[in-house]
Amino acid sequence: MSEVHVHRVKDEWKKDALIDAATYEKWYQDSITDPEGFWREHGKRIDWFTPYTKVKNTSYEGDVSIKWFEDGVSNVCHNCVDRHLEKRGDQTAIIWEGDDPADDKKITYHELHEQVSKLGNVLKSNGVKKGDRVTIYMPMIPEAAYAMLACARIGAVHSVVFGGFSPDSLAGRIEDCKSDFVITADEGLRGGKKVPLKANTDKAIEIAEKAGAKVRNVLVVKRTGADVNWVDGRDLAYEAEMEKASAECEPEKMNAEDPLFILYTSGSTGKPKGVLHTTGGYLVYASMTHQYVFDYHEGDVYWCTADVGWVTGHSYIVYGPLANGAITLMFEGVPNYPDAGRCWDVVDKHKVNIFYTAPTAIRALMGAGDDYVKRASRSSLRVLGSVGEPINPEAWEWYYKVVGDEKSPIVDTWWQTETGGILITPLPGAIDLKAGSATKPFFGVQPQLVDNEGGVLEGAASGNLCIVDSWPGQMRTVYGDHERFIQTYFSTYKGKYFTGDGCRRDEDGYYWITGRVDDVLNVSGHRMGTAEVESALVAHPKVSEAAVVGYPHDVKGQGIYCYVTLMAGEEGSEELKKELVAHVRSEIGPIASPDKIQFAPGLPKTRSGKIMRRILRKIAEDDPKALGDTSTLADPAVVDDLVNNRQNKK
Ligand code: PRX
């Protein structure tokens, strides 16, 4: 193993930090020995119309039931908007930075209140009721945040679908949660390129309706002004609807356990799952982690570069920061447009204090050279964050030294769509850093490492990462399929939440996430099931069978390596490879583009027909010497062909 770089908490980071080392230790102990008392206190950080008397009612056994603050009544939009009006109504809530560097605007809390209230009324007057599912398929424009908050305000449940997903993927998500209202834009704009969101929506609705879904309305925001197809009676122009709407819209009284949103995410098998988060616990957890992990102080400018289509955008662009009355920056573009210095230019332009991004972006920008960084002063930066995949120590050190000038701590935050908020992370003023480690658990989080048989590992060890007790931000169910929730997360290791990640704990009790131990890929921080890519490939008429594995990729973290067996009589060619790449992109979206395709006359299978992925992974990693025992294969000879024709030979 490479040498571990330890960076002690500096005096400047301790100064004014919200949490120091002693407070971290004390609060952490309290949160574990008396979760009820700890969260009874911290649940008060949000406003409740009716205060809760019950705090924690959770069980990982049997039917698995997770309830927090269950008799409390609140509203997420009230907490993110209305409650700030008196104290900071004229303060900026959202700084929007457009794709074009000349395009930006600021939205105050007063303006945000007006917009979300009007939009809440637009939704209501078009028949959206409490509990209805609204699909949001939007570019990174303020209207995306308004849409989420307006749903929360009227008690509708939003399902945000990343704007990079294909019509097919969007259709599947509309169908699964029986959503009959879609909010989109004419087109998106990213890196100077247009994304045909309305056209994709039209196609998706056609696909979904063939499968029995019914979409009543599509509300279309004008972003580029492109001429788009219009279905009279179904499509509604956002601007015209907002014009008519009143700005008085009382936030709905929501029980703490009423659903707030559904967000689809990939697992090792089957279709993406609708992860369901609820109102009270989610907001308490998102806001508390946002404040302490980023050491957020009043007036700080905070920028998370994620897209609202992912959970990071939900918890750390919209809900966490706005619940804290923060100034949150929303960026429409990409880090390398117009050039690789964009992020640092934006940091200077808006005096960003806290910057949160993904390792894949850090590696890509590192590759572009230091000059892009150095042309900006970055003097406003105080805290840097990382999320989405393991960060390699080289990228960590570059981020720390070159971007942060060794002045800003890096919080490497480990969490998942399912966890609602950050679970393992340093706190800037409290926890010494080790490059590449997510360090220590947040308050209330009890990680445990187990071996493959479920045996608990103590002390320094490597194993499968479980969490032994609930925290308020935890998902409550898989939408419409509670059995799948139990099976996926609580059946591998009875009575524990299994994360799907492998992890090492060192002698100091620091956690080092090593990546997924299941068939989930993490490509540029985007989570994807190998089964999803495989089913996209076999949907192509020339493909008879496919097996997909990940392999280490310098920038993306993992690349997508596809073994494809063609139908009898079909020939593999470079042309066909291109066709298959295009096919996967159109089935799932560009994020699922295969990096390597190998035509394979046969796949290594056991005698019972199970594909031996271990072997495919080793070949994809260009490590054929480590294939191990192949004698249990039905036809060991297929391996030689695969090894000889591997696409990753160094
Ligand atoms: O494998 C872990 C990885 O991303 C997975 C969760 O993906 P998703 O639900 O899309 O959420 C991503 C943003 C929270 C995890 O199971 N992951 C996330 N953060 C880290 C990470 N791996 C290592 N270090 C991290 N900081």
Side-chain angles (χ1 to χ4, degrees):
M1 203 185 23
S2 59
E3 190 194 337
V4 175
H5 296 253
V6 181
H7 297 269
R8 304 252 170 245
V9 177
K10 295 191 175 184
D11 288 342
E12 308 88 85
W13 306 347
K14 285 188 198 157
K15 205 167 131 274
D16 301 330
L18 297 171
I19 306 281
D20 60 18
T23 310
Y24 170 73
E25 288 303 333
K26 162 118 189 30
W27 285 24
Y28 185 73
Q29 283 315 320
D30 291 350
S31 73
I32 302 306
T33 50
D34 179 19
E36 185 82 23
F38 182 84
W39 291 109
R40 183 178 296 281
E41 195 50 39
H42 289 282
K44 293 181 197 154
R45 60 181 294 116
I46 67 167
D47 281 2
W48 297 88
F49 301 138
T50 309
Y52 48 87
T53 64
K54 298 181 182 155
V55 176
K56 180 176 187 288
N57 179 7
T58 66
S59 165
Y60 285 178
E61 308 282 345
D63 276 348
V64 182
S65 165
I66 299 163
K67 292 183 180 146
W68 284 90
F69 314 112
E70 63 185 297
D71 59 351
V73 176
S74 182
N75 180 287
V76 167
C77 184
H78 162 85
N79 274 287
C80 290
V81 183
D82 306 42
R83 72 157 166 168
H84 305 307
L85 294 180
E86 204 177 315
K87 191 170 162 206
R88 48 176 92 85
D90 295 324
Q91 179 207 290
T92 300
I94 299 175
I95 299 177
W96 178 73
E97 169 78 11
D99 188 53
D100 180 333
D103 234 359
D104 61 17
K105 68 176 162 191
K106 291 185 175 154
I107 296 117
T108 66
Y109 274 96
H110 269 307
E111 288 162 341
L112 184 60
H113 181 251
E114 186 184 340
Q115 297 300 316
V116 298
S117 300
K118 282 188 172 178
L119 185 50
N121 284 328
V122 169
L123 297 178
K124 283 206 267 191
S125 66
N126 287 292
V128 179
K129 299 181 301 294
K130 180 172 177 173
D132 288 356
R133 277 81 53 213
V134 172
T135 300
I136 300 176
Y137 183 62
M138 295 274 268
M140 284 289 288
I141 54 178
E143 287 78 2
Y146 304 163
M148 294 163 75
L149 291 163
C151 287
R153 192 167 190 88
I154 68 165
V157 183
H158 61 68
S159 160
V160 183
V161 179
F162 173 56
F165 276 124
S166 68
D168 267 303
S169 299
L170 175 59
R173 287 155 170 82
I174 290 173
E175 264 169 69
D176 184 82
C177 68
K178 302 189 181 58
S179 163
D180 63 5
F181 199 99
V182 181
I183 308 178
T184 189
D186 48 6
E187 291 180 317
L189 202 53
R190 284 185 92 222
K193 294 198 197 84
K194 293 184 172 155
V195 187
L197 295 173
K198 173 61 166 62
N200 287 351
T201 303
D202 290 343
K203 274 190 222 149
I205 293 174
E206 206 182 304
I207 300 166
E209 292 196 337
K210 271 194 201 132
K214 178 76 194 120
V215 173
R216 187 178 66 249
N217 290 119
V218 180
L219 183 64
V220 187
V221 178
K222 194 180 279 209
R223 168 63 187 100
T224 63
D227 206 7
V228 290
N229 174 49
W230 205 257
V231 179
D232 286 328
R234 185 195 73 180
D235 296 350
L236 304 165
Y238 180 93
E239 298 70 23
E241 293 292 316
M242 290 289 275
E243 187 90 13
K244 293 188 291 199
S246 135
E248 294 284 319
C249 177
E250 265 308 290
E252 195 72 29
K253 303 255 178 310
M254 304 298 286
N255 179 270
E257 285 301 336
D258 280 337
L260 174 64
F261 67 82
I262 299 166
L263 186 56
Y264 286 86
T265 193
S266 300
S268 40
T269 54
K271 309 183 290 179
K273 293 181 285 284
V275 167
L276 184 88
H277 284 287
T278 58
T279 299
Y282 170 81
L283 196 66
V284 166
Y285 199 76
S287 67
M288 183 165 170
T289 45
H290 172 263
Q291 183 183 9
Y292 295 135
V293 172
F294 300 105
D295 195 42
Y296 188 87
H297 287 68
E298 185 83 30
D300 280 347
V301 176
Y302 162 88
W303 179 17
C304 164
T305 68
D307 189 286
V308 290
W310 310 113
V311 74
T312 310
H314 284 60
S315 301
Y316 300 113
I317 294 178
V318 179
Y319 292 122
L322 294 177
N324 291 335
I327 305 170
T328 182
L329 193 151
M330 200 172 167
F331 177 42
E332 187 182 34
V334 291
N336 58 359
Y337 177 82
D339 66 31
R342 181 68 187 273
C343 289
W344 325 122
D345 293 349
V346 173
V347 164
D348 278 6
K349 176 178 175 187
H350 297 295
K351 306 273 174 296
V352 172
N353 306 110
I354 302 161
F355 178 74
Y356 188 31
T357 196
T360 187
I362 299 166
R363 288 190 296 263
L365 297 176
M366 180 168 84
D370 298 1
D371 290 351
Y372 286 112
V373 187
K374 295 200 167 134
R375 80 176 183 208
S377 94
R378 292 157 285 112
S379 58
S380 54
L381 286 176
R382 197 168 54 77
V383 176
L384 300 173
S386 172
V387 61
E389 38 169 337
I391 177 165
N392 48 311
E394 299 71 33
W396 196 105
E397 293 292 342
W398 182 82
Y399 197 25
Y400 182 72
K401 290 196 177 111
V402 180
V403 175
D405 287 327
E406 304 190 37
K407 289 194 300 227
S408 305
I410 295 181
V411 289
D412 174 5
T413 63
W414 173 83
W415 60 296
Q416 312 177 294
T417 307
E418 292 88 338
T419 70
I422 295 164
L423 295 197
I424 302 183
T425 179
L427 300 180
I431 297 173
D432 291 337
L433 306 171
K434 295 188 189 184
S437 170
T439 77
K440 298 273 194 165
F442 191 74
F443 307 122
V445 176
Q446 296 181 60
Q448 190 176 70
L449 301 183
V450 299
D451 61 25
N452 290 341
E453 285 66 49
V456 176
L457 303 167
E458 306 286 353
S462 285
N464 303 304
L465 178 62
C466 293
I467 312 289
V468 293
D469 199 2
S470 185
W471 63 98
Q474 183 167 30
M475 75 183 282
R476 303 303 198 248
T477 191
V478 170
Y479 186 79
D481 197 349
H482 194 66
E483 191 49 40
R484 193 172 175 201
F485 175 60
I486 301 170
Q487 278 308 318
T488 309
Y489 303 106
F490 302 94
S491 68
T492 319
Y493 304 108
K494 282 262 169 287
K496 291 167 194 172
Y497 169 74
F498 176 44
T499 64
D501 278 318
C503 182
R504 181 170 70 84
R505 185 175 44 223
D506 70 16
E507 50 294 341
D508 298 322
Y510 274 51
Y511 289 87
W512 301 72
I513 308 294
T514 50
R516 302 287 304 197
V517 292
D518 53 12
D519 291 323
V520 171
L521 303 175
N522 192 329
V523 181
S524 300
H526 299 318
R527 178 168 161 185
M528 218 169 307
T530 49
E532 283 170 80
V533 184
E534 287 162 5
S535 65
L537 285 166
V538 294
H540 190 282
K542 293 184 182 163
V543 175
S544 101
E545 201 172 16
V548 171
V549 297
Y551 70 94
H553 187 288
D554 284 350
V555 174
K556 298 180 179 184
Q558 270 189 314
I560 304 180
Y561 195 115
C562 308
Y563 296 88
V564 172
T565 308
L566 297 174
M567 294 288 189
E570 297 294 346
E571 277 291 319
S573 65
E574 287 307 310
E575 268 321 288
L576 182 54
K577 280 188 185 173
K578 284 195 192 122
E579 201 176 307
L580 293 177
V581 170
H583 177 75
V584 174
R585 289 170 71 97
S586 91
E587 290 268 316
I588 304 177
I591 55 169
S593 290
D595 295 281
K596 305 277 177 194
I597 293 181
Q598 176 170 357
F599 293 114
L603 295 171
K605 291 184 187 165
T606 59
R607 286 185 198 100
S608 60
K610 196 173 167 320
I611 294 177
M612 290 189 72
R613 291 169 179 282
R614 173 178 58 82
I615 293 179
L616 295 176
R617 276 192 212 107
K618 288 293 168 203
I619 298 172
E621 284 164 15
D622 191 23
D623 193 9
K625 289 206 189 69
L627 287 185
D629 184 14
T630 56
S631 63
T632 54
L633 291 176
D635 177 10
V638 298
V639 172
D640 295 336
D641 176 83
L642 292 173
V643 169
N644 292 336
N645 293 305
R646 65 189 189 275
Q647 304 291 299
N648 257 354
K649 222 176 284 176
K650 284 179 197 111

